[in-house]
Amino acid sequence: MVKRIVDLRSDTVTKPTETMRAAMEGAEVGDDVLEHDPTAFHLESEMAKIMGKEAGLFVPSGTMANLISVLVHCESRGSEVILGHNSHIHIYENGGISTLGGVHPRTVKNNDDGTMDIDLIEAAIRDPKEEIVFPTTRLICLENTHCNHGGRCLSVEYTDRVGQIAKKHGLKLHIDGARIFNASVALGVPVDRLVQAADSVSVCLSKGLGAPVGSVIVGSNSFIVKARRLRKTLGGGMRQVGVLCAAALVALKENLPKLESDHKKARLLADGLNKIQGLRVDTSSVETNIIYVEIEEFSGTTAIKLCKDLEEYGILLMQTGLSRLRVALHHQISESDVQFALSCFQKAVNGVQNENGN
């Protein structure tokens, strides 16, 4: 039996803190579908204020947050959204914008830093004069930080330029900001400035912030009115949801300041992994809390084998390819856990027998 577990699969694996549990127990609640839950209203208002938008809406998940946002901006079936070929919305959200909304994805290649070339974005916008044969472009989506590109941050300058392209062509801009606070901390830019150009933003509460459930969508008052109706249509009309929102409010207060520490621990781990023969990490790309580890051909192991071997040591990871692993740091991973994980990696790669058990 493994004595010590260090779960590095994702920043979604955090457990609610005792402060969160106490806040949940004492939360003032009402019927949120009837817009009478004071704790939900407090969270939504607070998040909208932080993000510099008019209003917010709590939803069960980031997938629903992005789906609702896309469908509000693309009300007509046959609309088209421009988004990265490696984006979370395109790859990991069950094709919901197409299957449920009739929205067509038009992908543009993501660069290594998560951006899309500005000229390629503009070139992907359909000519309205040819709408008899083409879908109608209505929306551009960005992702910040970009998960599949190692938690890389989109700069405010880049986001503003994309926003200018959107306005020039009469389009809307949505930011999948699942880890937008990580980007804000890493770049040293206030989060409201970072999303100023966006018409809507989805913000995850259950990743680095460590709340147990939920995301918040922010945007204009009229946008949120439509989003609330869509949330109900999709089955996300929760009743006494203030129980969950109370934990999220604690997360904003207590865990937001811990993101910088998560980033430092990620760099510490990345540097250590890169020194292990047989492993390779592009340490210059580690900007926030996500690390991608490449397994060299000569190492004598594979991603699936290394994951299995490390699990016997109590280290849990996510395999993302035949020779690639993903590691994510969060506030419940200590510096001691980082050092322990490094020692286990070294032993697993070298084939040393596990000692983290009976």
Side-chain angles (χ1 to χ4, degrees), residues 57-343:
L57 181 69
F58 181 83
V59 297
S61 70
T63 294
M64 185 183 282
N66 287 328
L67 176 61
I68 288 173
S69 298
V70 172
L71 298 193
V72 170
H73 291 308
C74 301
E75 292 182 287
S76 303
R77 297 182 70 85
S79 297
E80 187 168 72
V81 54
I82 295 170
L83 74 177
H85 84 288
N86 214 9
S87 64
H88 197 280
I89 293 175
H90 185 57
I91 296 176
Y92 298 117
E93 299 183 7
N94 300 112
I97 62 172
S98 300
T99 56
L100 298 176
V103 178
H104 185 260
R106 184 161 168 84
T107 59
V108 172
K109 183 180 182 297
N110 285 114
N111 299 314
D112 289 343
D113 62 358
T115 63
M116 299 174 280
D117 288 347
I118 297 291
D119 58 343
L120 294 182
I121 293 175
E122 191 158 24
I125 299 171
R126 305 288 188 177
D127 185 346
K129 295 177 183 177
E130 299 184 39
E131 64 180 3
I132 193 168
V133 292
F134 290 144
T136 302
T137 309
R138 299 189 189 277
L139 177 65
I140 301 171
C141 289
L142 298 177
E143 182 179 334
N144 199 10
T145 65
H146 202 289
C147 177
N148 269 0
H149 289 271
R152 301 289 293 273
C153 306
L154 304 188
S155 70
V156 68
E157 293 80 12
Y158 175 79
T159 305
D160 283 351
R161 288 183 66 197
V162 176
Q164 290 163 7
I165 293 295
K167 284 186 171 59
K168 175 183 173 182
H169 293 274
L171 309 179
K172 299 296 185 181
L173 173 62
H174 172 69
I175 295 178
D176 174 1
R179 296 181 176 89
I180 193 67
F181 285 111
N182 290 88
S184 172
V185 169
L187 294 171
V189 176
V191 71
D192 60 335
R193 179 65 188 90
L194 201 52
V195 301
Q196 185 176 302
D199 296 284
S200 60
V201 186
S202 61
V203 186
C204 189
L205 301 162
S206 63
K207 291 188 170 70
L209 294 183
V213 178
S215 288
V216 174
I217 312 167
V218 295
S220 67
N221 286 320
S222 60
F223 171 87
I224 292 299
V225 167
K226 294 176 181 178
R228 186 177 294 276
R229 186 169 186 270
L230 256 176
R231 184 186 69 174
K232 187 70 170 70
T233 303
L234 294 170
M238 300 164 287
R239 299 297 178 175
Q240 286 72 41
V241 73
V243 171
L244 299 177
C245 294
L249 285 164
V250 172
L252 281 174
K253 181 179 179 181
E254 294 189 354
N255 292 343
L256 188 52
K258 298 176 183 177
L259 294 179
E260 185 174 4
S261 175
D262 295 346
H263 300 172
K264 289 179 180 177
K265 286 178 286 191
R267 286 189 288 272
L268 179 65
L269 181 57
D271 288 339
L273 290 171
N274 201 39
K275 293 175 182 176
I276 297 174
Q277 190 172 11
L279 302 181
R280 178 167 48 85
V281 176
D282 179 5
T283 55
S284 65
S285 71
V286 181
E287 297 178 354
T288 55
N289 67 319
I290 297 175
I291 306 165
Y292 280 99
V293 185
E294 301 289 342
I295 302 170
E296 303 279 14
E297 286 186 23
F298 65 81
S299 67
T301 189
T302 62
I304 189 168
K305 183 177 186 303
L306 189 54
C307 274
K308 184 177 179 181
D309 291 344
L310 281 165
E311 187 172 351
E312 293 180 4
Y313 285 92
I315 309 298
L316 305 182
L317 302 171
M318 186 176 289
Q319 178 190 349
T320 60
L322 293 175
S323 60
R324 198 179 196 217
L325 303 172
R326 192 189 85 164
V327 176
L329 279 290
H330 51 83
H331 75 97
Q332 290 174 338
I333 297 296
S334 66
E335 191 166 323
S336 170
D337 290 330
V338 170
Q339 296 299 339
F340 175 68
L342 283 171
S343 68

